[in-house]
Every structure is written in C-alpha cells, then in structure tokens.
Amino acid sequence: MGISEESNTEPLYEKIWVKYTLSRVMDSIILILLVLLLCYRVFSYDDMNHHSYPWFLAFMCESWFTFTWLTIISTKWNPSYTKSYPHRLFSRVAELPSVDLFVTTADPVLEPPIITVNTVLSLLALDYPSNKLSCYVSDDGCSPLNLYALVEASKFAKLWVPFCKKYNVKTRAPFRYFDSNNNEATAPNNSPEFMQEWLAIKDGYEHLCSKIQNATKKSIMLDQEFHVFSTTQLNNHPTIIKTRVSGLMTNAPYILNVDCDMHVNNPEIVQHALCVLMDPNSDKEVAFVQCPQQFYDGLKDDPFGNQLVTIFVYIGGGVSGIQGIYYVGTNCFHRRKVLYGLSPHHHIQNGNKDLGIAALCYKYSLFSGKSSKKDIIFGSSEEFVESAAQALEGKKTFTQNANLCNSLEAAKEVAASGYEHGTDWGNKVGWMYGSSAEDILTGLTMHTKGWRSESCVTDPIAFMGCTAQDSVVQMAQYQRWGSGLLEIFFSKNCPIFGTIFGKLQFRQCLAYIWVTTWALRSVPETCYALLPAYCIITNSYFLPKDLGVLIPAALLVAFNISTLLEYLKTGLSMRSWWNNLRMSRITAMNPWIFSFVTILLKKLRIHDYAFVVTKKELPINEGLDKNNVNAGGRFIFNKSLVFVPGTTILLLQLTALIINFFGWQPKARSGGQGSGFGELICSIYVVLFYLPFLKGLFRKGKYGIPLSTICKSMGLALLFVHLSMFIV
C-alpha cells in the first residue's frame, strides 16, 4: 500500500481516553461517606434527641449533596480528549471548505470596540485560505462606534494579515503581539526588512487605537455611511446590514462563533476543528466542536474563582467521554445544517423519506410549491429557503460577491427582528430561545436529537479572552448563568425529558442536570451554612455524636484532599484551590440564591428578568503588572442586594461564636445534648469562606461593604436569632 493510500485511510482525529484512577478512588470514597452519613441519620432517628428540626434539615441537605455528587461522579468517570492531525486533512480533501466567522457584541461601553477589533483582526489572520473565510459582526447594541472601529480595522487588516502570514506570527491579536511581555514581538527576526515592517505595523496599530479612542470620547458624525444610525435606539432600530448575516451571502457549511473578547491564540485552529468535523465518521455524529475558554488577564491564584481550569479538565473532559462536551456560547465550530434543524438520522442526499423539520422546508417549498411549511420553519424569504436547501444538501456554497446588492437586500429582510415571528427560529432552528443560557440550551437540543459533540484542545490553546476583574462583575455574571440554566431545568427542554422522549443518553442527562441546577443548590447550601450558627444559638446539634462524628469529619477531609489534588495535578497552586473552594460557596449562597428567586418569580408570572452584559476590561497597558490590577484581586462591594445574603450569614456566624464564647447559650432541650465542638468548627469554617466579607466590614470605599447592606443584614440576622428561639 502506498503512502498516499495509507494517509487516506488514517483517521483525521483520534479520541483518547484518560483514566484518573486517584480521582475515581477519592470520588468513590466521598460517595460512600455521604451514603454512610445518610444511613446514620436514618437509623439513629429513633433516638428522641434526634427528633429535631436541625437533624431533619441536615438530612435533607445531605440528600441533595449526595445526589449532586452522583451526577459529578457519573460525569467525570470516563474522561476523554481528541487529538487531531491537520497534515492528513490537506492530503484527504482536494479543496478546503468555507468557514463563516461570527463575532457577537452588545454594548460599546461594557465591551469596548478595541476588544472587538482585536478579535476580528485575529480571525482575519487565521492560517486558512482568505477566500474561504468570511467574518460577520453582530452588534445588538446598534453602535455607530463599533462600525467606525471595524471600518478603520479593515484598513489596518490589509497590513496586519500579510505581515502575520509572511513572518509566521503566532500571536495574531495585535494588542497581545505588541505587549511588552511578548517575546515574539521583540526579537523574532533581526533582519532590517522585518524591523522596518514591524515598526510600520506597530505605528499603524497605535494610530488605529488612537482613532478609536478619540471616537469614543466624542460623538461620531452621523453622516454618509453612518447616517442610518441617526434615528436608531438601542431596543428599537431598523435592520442595518454592514457585517452581518451569512446564510444569504456566503452560506459556508461550517460556522465559528466567538464572543467579542475571545481572540485567536492558535492560528491553525480551523484545521484542527475541521479534522473532527470532516472525518468520515463524524458527518452523521458530531454536531459541533467546542474549544476551551482560557483567559490572558487572569489574576494570580484566581482570587474570584472564574478561570474554570479544573472544571474544563475534569467535568469538560468527563462529559466529552459520554455524548459530548457542552456548548458554552463561544469558541465553537458548528455544522450549519445542524443549526438548521437536521437530525443525525436524516439523509437528504441519499433520498431518505424520513425527513426532519429542516428537510420538510426543502421538500415542500422547492418541489411542491406549498409555502405554509417553509413559512413556519424558515420564514417567508425565498432566497433564504434556497440557501437553506443548499446547506442541507451539502452543496457547494454561493460564489461570493456574485450579486452582493441582492444579497444585502435579502439579508435586511431576514435580519429584521419581526422576520422570525411565527417561524421555528429559536424553537427548532438556529440558536434556541427561552433562556439567557441559550448556549447550553442549544447544545442540549442538539444532544437530545442524538448528535454528539467533541472538544478540541490544542497546543497552544485555541482562543484567549478576558475574565471578570472584580467581584461585582463576577456576581452579576454568575447570577445570569444561574438564572438561565435553572430556567432550562424548569422548562419543556429539561434534560430529563430529553432522555425520556429524545435521544439524550442517561449519563449525559445527569451531566446536564449538574449544570442546570447550579441555582437550585443555593437552597440546601444556604440552609447547611446556617445550621452551625442556629445550633450554637439554640444549643442544639445537627452533627452526629460519639463515634458517628467521624463520618462527617472524614467526609470533610476527603473532599478537601480530593479537590486539592485535582488542582495540583492541573498545575495550579494551593492558594488557587482555596480561592476556588471559597468562591464556590460564596457563589452558591449569593448570586445563585437570587437566580433561584428570579426564576421562581418568573414561573409565578410576578416578575421577569433581563439579560445582563458582562463588562469586558480594556487590554492592560504596557508596563502595568496585571496582578496589581484591583489591588491584587481584593473584593469590591456595592449596594446591590447580591451581597446581603453573604453578609447576613457572616454576621450570624460571628453572633453564634460570641454567644458560645461567653456561654450565653440556653440549656439543651429536655436535658439532651447541646451543640458541641463539631458545630463550633463548622461555624469557623464558614467564617473562613467569608473572609473577604469579614474584611469588607472594616474597609472603606469600594472595598468596604456599604452601610446600607450591613444594616439590612443586621436586621435579617436579628430576625433569624429571634425566630430561632421558637424553632428547635
């Protein structure tokens, strides 16, 4: 067999399975201890001293913790990752397919245009044939500033893209390339020609930044191409087509979507992803390829617990070994035909009569002339129906710029907000609506149809973005995630229904239950955190006595050792482990409890919630140590109610510790046993979690908890203490 024949039979990618034996053992030990603790509570309940409110509440909370741990073990049990072979791709296909690149932004204030510009420039400079790439920017904020920045960036791109490809620049985002800490920018090539071009490119980028910065400070003249913005409003504006809408213009079979802050870090990522999507066995199986999220501006030791490194390694790797990784809204390569509603078992090209919802559009609108079906599915645009049919059949994409004027006019119709009314957009076609976590919902819908997904981890990492730099933004972000995810769980798209009525695998269902119930766990976590303070104040107990106390003690030690080992194994520090452990508790009992209340009020039709855009920080200036930003990651507080639960919990623990220290506890009920050393340790443990809040009580300015928040929390704490005397 010749070399070329061998290359045609070798796979484009391999799925490699990993065994984290130690992690499995530790997780199993924790599960056994949780079950033992539940059994101890059940079989010792005949003791009259155990007929108490805290004992029953602890049992209910621990039951939830056990269920949650079961979902975690199931998800983590068989981790995997993919290894792609781009060199085989070039020998396998005669012509590389087109790829449409989508960048989304929503607010020029919270998401500065210079960040979007760098992302777009990095995408345009990908190591992929330029005639096969089309970049679209979706600006939900309808900002003339964003358009101005992109117009200026397109001029700079004519210099930047050839420069990157000529000198094989690895860092394709200019602000990262010209950073003083980037060795590649300072000494990759000492030739006079390179230095001359390098200086010219650097001057060009600085000029670009200056023009965008000046435009930010003063209003843009709304004339000529910007005149259309003169009568627009954020939530009420006509369709403005400048760099949007691909179905009618390029209609590439594959789509990459990224957030405006996620720039390309590996210029060969398209080839790696296509190895998975174009493998012969993947066309009927893999819907999308998800790349991990990593951040270039993460603070040392992850003080806000938002870099999510271990979650991607263990949870992301684990779910990749089941039916596939979650779609997380960015850094993802999609098949267009899957977004158009196609299921794995529908074969339009083979003439299969068992057509799905998207295929019905093709069948009825083009052959029988019945418009009712297509109107329900894709809308009334004949041009779009034709483009959808071509995408579903896998035909070659449109010739670019063949009739751009007609494409723009049709695109305006399709992009109008009212176009999708009465259609299946957002329900069965495209990105799914009905939740602020539309990314998870879209991925869940695809998995429910029977599709798989794969992760794509490359070296260097494919994309890099910016992360929240303060606790206020962090809280808002997690509250939004928690609300959106819980809304999915309490909807018709619940993963449980996906397993019963769809093709969602059982273990994949458990993985989705784990993520969609983030906000729901706020209730048992908050109750459990209040139990030590309650028991000390009322002189009761919730922990086992005598030798039984060894079970929760062993559970605490095993959990901490297990999580610590996972962090150390991924190259993180012990401080990073503690910060993430602390933030997981703070997140569960603060933003997620508001997420839970928000969805409860929405389901009761009392109050709805709005989508909150996460603030993106400007690139850090040269010479500025990123670890000194925000004073090394100190907590910032404001008057938001999101900080009230945490402050209340802290004040209750401090109150309980003072009562215990001075011996002000009442006598134990009916001569039984009162609170002991275990409850005292648990109360101190909670205080350690809330150490940033404790420091905030004594700090001033933005690093101190506002007096109004303290007063609200003191009132709630006094009410809790008063009511505790009546509930024992």
Side-chain angles (χ1 to χ4, degrees):
M1 181 180 292
I3 296 177
S4 59
E5 293 178 351
E6 290 181 2
S7 62
N8 288 332
T9 58
E10 291 178 324
L12 294 178
Y13 81 100
E14 288 182 300
K15 193 161 187 173
I16 299 174
W17 300 89
V18 184
K19 285 188 177 180
Y20 296 126
T21 305
L22 182 59
S23 180
R24 281 186 177 184
V25 171
M26 295 301 297
D27 289 347
S28 300
I29 290 174
I30 293 171
L31 179 61
I32 292 171
L33 290 171
L34 282 167
V35 173
L36 285 176
L37 182 58
L38 292 178
C39 291
Y40 180 91
R41 292 196 182 279
V42 170
F43 292 116
S44 63
Y45 195 72
D46 56 347
D47 188 340
M48 288 301 297
N49 290 327
H50 294 160
H51 289 183
S52 63
Y53 169 76
W55 190 267
F56 175 74
L57 183 60
F59 173 76
M60 296 301 295
C61 293
E62 288 157 1
S63 298
W64 174 264
F65 300 152
T66 304
F67 170 73
T68 301
W69 196 253
L70 275 171
T71 64
I72 292 174
I73 286 184
S74 172
T75 303
K76 292 169 57 179
W77 198 256
N78 297 109
S80 70
Y81 67 92
T82 59
K83 183 177 181 180
S84 52
Y85 303 99
H87 62 282
R88 297 177 184 174
L89 179 67
F90 296 110
S91 62
R92 186 72 59 84
V93 296
E95 182 181 4
L96 291 173
S98 298
V99 179
D100 285 344
L101 314 172
F102 282 84
V103 182
T104 53
T105 184
D107 191 315
V109 176
L110 297 177
E111 299 174 334
I114 190 62
I115 294 180
T116 304
V117 161
N118 272 276
T119 297
V120 170
L121 288 171
S122 70
L123 289 169
L124 295 177
L126 282 163
D127 279 342
Y128 202 77
S130 299
N131 64 324
K132 297 291 185 179
L133 295 176
S134 300
C135 186
Y136 299 83
V137 178
S138 173
D139 178 17
D140 287 342
C142 191
S143 168
L145 180 59
N146 278 330
L147 176 58
Y148 173 80
L150 291 169
V151 170
E152 295 300 321
S154 66
K155 301 173 184 177
F156 175 71
K158 296 176 182 179
L159 302 175
W160 174 248
V161 174
F163 174 78
C164 290
K165 295 187 176 182
K166 180 178 180 180
Y167 294 105
N168 194 27
V169 172
K170 300 300 181 185
T171 307
R172 301 290 168 101
F175 85 98
R176 293 284 290 165
Y177 178 74
F178 292 115
D179 187 273
S180 59
N181 296 320
N182 182 21
N183 295 328
E184 183 186 10
T186 56
N189 191 326
N190 293 322
S191 67
E193 180 185 7
F194 169 80
M195 292 306 300
Q196 183 178 2
E197 291 190 47
W198 185 89
L199 289 172
I201 295 294
K202 190 174 188 296
D203 289 341
Y205 178 66
E206 290 175 350
H207 182 63
L208 171 65
C209 293
S210 178
K211 294 183 73 172
I212 295 175
Q213 187 175 10
N214 291 335
T216 303
K217 294 179 179 179
K218 60 183 180 181
S219 299
I220 297 175
M221 295 296 293
L222 299 179
D223 55 4
Q224 297 179 2
E225 65 177 320
F226 300 101
H227 176 72
V228 69
F229 290 93
S230 60
T231 59
T232 61
Q233 299 177 2
L234 178 61
N235 297 320
N236 182 21
H237 59 82
T239 303
I240 302 172
I241 300 295
K242 296 295 183 182
T243 51
R244 295 192 270 177
V245 183
S246 70
L248 289 162
M249 299 175 71
T250 47
N251 205 32
Y254 303 106
I255 296 172
L256 164 64
N257 85 281
V258 295
D259 286 342
C260 65
D261 63 305
M262 282 286 172
H263 67 264
V264 175
N265 191 62
N266 185 337
E268 297 180 350
I269 182 56
V270 176
Q271 292 93 312
H272 286 279
L274 289 181
C275 283
V276 179
L277 291 170
M278 298 187 71
D279 190 88
N281 296 324
S282 297
D283 187 58
K284 301 174 184 177
E285 296 181 358
V286 179
F288 61 87
V289 175
Q290 178 67 59
C291 302
Q293 285 182 284
Q294 289 198 9
F295 310 99
Y296 59 81
D297 62 348
L299 299 176
K300 184 180 179 182
D301 295 326
D302 195 10
F304 302 121
N306 55 9
Q307 296 180 30
L308 309 177
V309 176
T310 57
I311 283 185
F312 185 84
V313 172
Y314 290 96
I315 298 295
V319 75
S320 296
I322 310 175
Q323 199 172 341
I325 193 169
Y326 309 115
Y327 168 42
V328 298
T330 184
N331 310 347
C332 189
F333 291 83
H334 295 272
R335 292 186 194 276
R336 184 182 291 270
K337 63 182 182 181
V338 177
L339 286 173
Y340 283 176
L342 202 65
S343 298
H345 59 283
H346 297 141
H347 310 294
I348 297 177
Q349 291 174 309
N350 297 331
N352 192 321
K353 295 182 179 181
D354 182 21
L355 302 180
I357 189 68
L360 281 173
C361 170
Y362 173 79
K363 177 180 178 181
Y364 280 86
S365 65
L366 297 185
F367 287 121
S368 63
K370 297 180 180 179
S371 61
S372 59
K373 290 292 182 180
K374 69 177 180 62
D375 288 347
I376 293 175
I377 300 168
F378 285 128
S380 58
S381 172
E382 296 292 341
E383 293 86 352
F384 190 85
V385 169
E386 182 181 354
S387 73
Q390 292 195 25
L392 290 166
E393 285 192 301
K395 289 184 177 180
K396 189 175 181 179
T397 56
F398 294 158
T399 302
Q400 295 188 23
N401 300 323
N403 197 339
L404 186 58
C405 292
N406 291 340
S407 295
L408 283 174
E409 289 302 317
K412 286 182 179 180
E413 177 190 359
V414 172
S417 60
Y419 176 81
E420 60 197 25
H421 292 166
T423 70
D424 281 328
W425 285 105
N427 183 27
K428 296 178 181 178
V429 177
W431 276 263
M432 298 295 105
Y433 301 161
S435 168
S436 59
E438 79 290 339
D439 45 4
I440 294 292
L441 178 56
T442 301
L444 171 60
T445 302
M446 293 176 181
H447 286 137
T448 299
K449 290 180 179 180
W451 288 104
R452 290 194 303 107
S453 59
E454 295 286 7
S455 61
C456 184
V457 183
T458 59
D459 185 18
I461 203 72
F463 301 92
M464 297 286 282
C466 61
T467 186
Q469 295 293 306
D470 63 66
S471 52
V472 174
V473 176
Q474 173 76 354
M475 294 292 185
Q477 186 178 56
Y478 271 99
Q479 183 176 344
R480 187 192 77 201
W481 289 351
S483 299
L485 291 169
L486 189 60
E487 190 169 15
I488 295 172
F489 185 77
F490 287 128
S491 71
K492 64 179 181 180
N493 298 302
C494 177
I496 298 175
F497 298 152
T499 298
I500 297 175
F501 304 109
K503 297 183 179 180
L504 190 69
Q505 296 179 17
F506 176 70
R507 289 180 57 209
Q508 188 78 10
C509 172
L510 293 180
Y512 272 109
I513 289 175
W514 175 80
V515 73
T516 56
T517 56
W518 277 2
L520 199 60
R521 72 182 66 167
S522 64
V523 177
E525 290 228 17
T526 302
C527 291
Y528 211 69
L530 291 173
L531 276 175
Y534 170 85
C535 290
I536 293 173
I537 293 170
T538 60
N539 201 16
S540 56
Y541 66 96
F542 75 99
L543 293 174
K545 297 293 183 178
D546 301 325
L547 293 178
V549 76
L550 294 177
I551 300 175
L555 183 59
L556 179 64
V557 172
F559 176 78
N560 285 319
I561 291 177
S562 175
T563 53
L564 175 60
L565 290 175
E566 288 183 349
Y567 274 80
L568 295 177
K569 191 171 182 179
T570 52
L572 300 175
S573 64
M574 182 179 293
R575 183 67 178 271
S576 179
W577 161 75
W578 172 252
N579 287 338
N580 278 265
L581 188 65
R582 177 191 66 192
M583 282 305 303
S584 64
R585 304 283 76 76
I586 292 176
T587 299
M589 291 179 256
N590 291 274
W592 283 352
I593 200 167
F594 279 94
S595 300
F596 172 74
V597 173
T598 296
I599 297 304
L600 182 63
L601 293 177
K602 181 176 181 179
K603 292 300 179 182
L604 295 175
R605 299 185 178 181
I606 298 174
H607 179 71
D608 203 349
Y609 70 100
F611 184 87
V612 178
V613 179
T614 303
K615 181 181 178 182
K616 309 294 192 304
E617 297 290 343
L618 283 168
I620 299 170
N621 295 327
E622 292 186 10
L624 179 64
D625 183 1
K626 66 182 179 181
N627 293 322
N628 289 328
V629 176
N630 186 23
R634 284 196 295 177
F635 260 62
I636 293 177
F637 299 91
N638 61 14
K639 295 182 180 180
S640 171
L641 292 176
V642 76
F643 294 107
V644 172
T647 307
T648 304
I649 291 171
L650 174 64
L651 292 178
L652 282 171
Q653 304 302 330
L654 295 176
T655 301
L657 292 174
I658 292 173
I659 289 175
N660 181 270
F661 181 79
F662 288 102
W664 293 342
Q665 296 170 285
K667 291 184 179 180
R669 187 186 67 166
S670 302
Q673 299 183 69
S675 63
F677 184 70
E679 285 75 18
L680 184 64
I681 292 296
C682 288
S683 184
I684 295 173
Y685 195 53
V686 175
V687 171
L688 290 176
F689 282 140
Y690 279 94
L691 192 58
F693 283 70
L694 182 60
K695 294 177 180 178
L697 291 175
F698 303 100
R699 287 175 174 166
K700 296 181 180 180
K702 65 179 182 179
Y703 300 114
I705 300 176
L707 182 60
S708 59
T709 301
I710 296 176
C711 291
K712 293 172 185 175
S713 298
M714 288 181 65
L716 291 173
L718 289 173
L719 179 63
F720 181 89
V721 172
H722 178 72
L723 294 177
S724 296
M725 300 303 176
F726 300 96
I727 306 175
V728 182

